[in-house]
Amino acid sequence: MLAFPHFEPAFARTDWVLHRVLEQQARDRGALPFLQWEDAKPLSFDEVNREVNRRAHGFASLGVRRGDVVVLFMANSLDYVLTWFALNKIGAVEAPINTAYLGRFLEHQVNICDARMMVADAALLQHVQGSIGKMPALKTLVVRGLAGSAAPTVGDCRMVDFDTVRADDDANPGVAVAPGDIAAIMFTSGTTGLSKGVLMPHGQLYLFAQIDVEAVRLTADDVYVTGLPFFHANSQLLTIYPCLIAGALCVLYEKFSATQWVERLHASGATVANSLGVMLPFVFAQPPTPRDRGHRLRRMLSAPTPYGILEDFKSRFGVEEFGEGFGQTEICCPIMAPLGRGVERPQGAAGLLLDQWFDVRIVDPETDEELPVGQVGELILRPKMPWTINAGYVNMPQETHRAWRNLWFHTGDGVKRDAQGWYYFVDRLKDSLRRRGENISSFEVEAPIREHPAVAEVAVVAVPSEHEGGEDEVKACIVAHPGALADPADIVAWCEGRLPAFAIPRYIEFLDSFPKTPSEKVQKSVLRSAGITAATWDRLKHSPQTPSKRKPA
């Protein structure tokens, strides 16, 4: 049975605390570059550590103590990373919140974690002002970006200029922090309900990052780039923290840009990057240029791997290796592809189990009974070492109990394993379909449709079959590229040969946009509730010779 190769972590388990890793790297690597904001001069490990200490003393002077939760409501910036590190230096808990949040989304997350302090960009204060009366625990607002002007009044909150939260003292504050202490509260997307705040110990954050170091074979000679939002685990734990552990240079950008992707590779000297969702198809859709090669990028993590364009992407951009994995904010990445280890990953496989660190089972989601190899079920797991996955959901005991039933953490994801030990993500269980006796993954149906040149976004959902027996019909909801001539029959023809016959959508509907959560996840529950509408095209009622066509506005 194949498994991810065992490895020795770079730091002893007693030191799986962010500020201990930073202090050690400042001593060992000193003047070597660590953090670079876009095209600015990079800060060394020692410079980062000293500046973090100054800010840590500044937050301590405001009354922040070990175990206090501080919300970060900030866009990507170097200040964001330094603030995160500074809070962890004094044992405080970082609670990053999506910058698109406002109203009840913002109020829920601030309230559920009992945050008394928020660090916010001045540009986002209008969101806070509209909800301040509904966030009673919030007492202090540290505002970044005032540019010398007076902070606006926001309820009864004490207002503090971010630039003043900095002491002259650049020594380690000396706060005792253990791997089991909570380091962060990161929120789930809330696609089907109120978002849950994941209690993440320092030990989990460290292992999350160390796994990424092993997966991409990150070394001190590498340059890792990210423009993904810092309020998510991907940028923090799959780019920034891994660079701290490996001693690599991390180049940070305000946001992802498909049009600037190649130029950033050249400017940064990037050797490693990662991507989510449609990022790489968006990059591939840019007009080819002579600059597409000649950079140093050779390894990528991509979730999912864009198999429809993979070989052409490699050839065009010179990227040699693509890895993938399976993980959640709650559980690190227990399944990863062993990039560059001489093991060929089957198409569609997420990776191999890190059995050094996790026990996993694939079970019937109704009974928790283990299922045979090859059968799709819910992935459940438990850690082999303490403090390496979540400690529950903050102030949501019922959700914690539900997720941890029978002393295993239930991921809610449908997964299967083959006889060799490769694991395949199939779908979120709530998004799976069953048609003609076959289980269908919306994820797997969406993948080839997304590669159609007219399709910008696609979401596949189940709609009730007119036949009895509890089966579903497959509906593809599509947002077309601006100006593209969208043809439902052509979408069906595109699916033929790319999908099994039973998985080809019967229903297709074009929409101007999708309903989404503030974290940009498609709200499939809304699409499912809409069902069959007057705008829905039914392939059983239309021959391919007489399709309905739509050119979006």
Side-chain angles (χ1 to χ4, degrees), residues 120-142:
D121 286 341
L124 297 172
L125 281 184
Q126 58 183 337
H127 294 193
V128 184
Q129 287 174 313
S131 293
I132 196 64
K134 298 178 182 178
M135 299 183 293
L138 194 61
K139 301 300 181 186
T140 302
L141 269 173
V142 178

Side-chain angles (χ1 to χ4, degrees), residues 40-106:
K41 179 183 177 182
L43 296 179
S44 71
F45 286 89
D46 183 63
E47 287 172 326
V48 169
N49 187 51
R50 290 179 183 276
E51 183 59 25
V52 166
N53 286 341
R54 294 184 187 103
R55 297 183 188 224
H57 285 294
F59 279 106
S61 71
L62 293 179
V64 179
R65 298 292 181 261
R66 181 175 180 269
D68 288 349
V69 177
V70 178
V71 163
L72 300 190
F73 195 40
M74 307 166 71
N76 284 14
S77 66
L78 185 59
D79 283 335
Y80 191 116
V81 180
L82 297 174
T83 301
W84 157 32
F85 284 11
L87 293 171
N88 276 181
K89 272 260 187 174
I90 54 177
V93 180
E94 170 219 11
I97 290 184
N98 192 312
T99 55
Y101 278 13
L102 73 168
R104 66 181 183 88
F105 292 93
L106 176 63

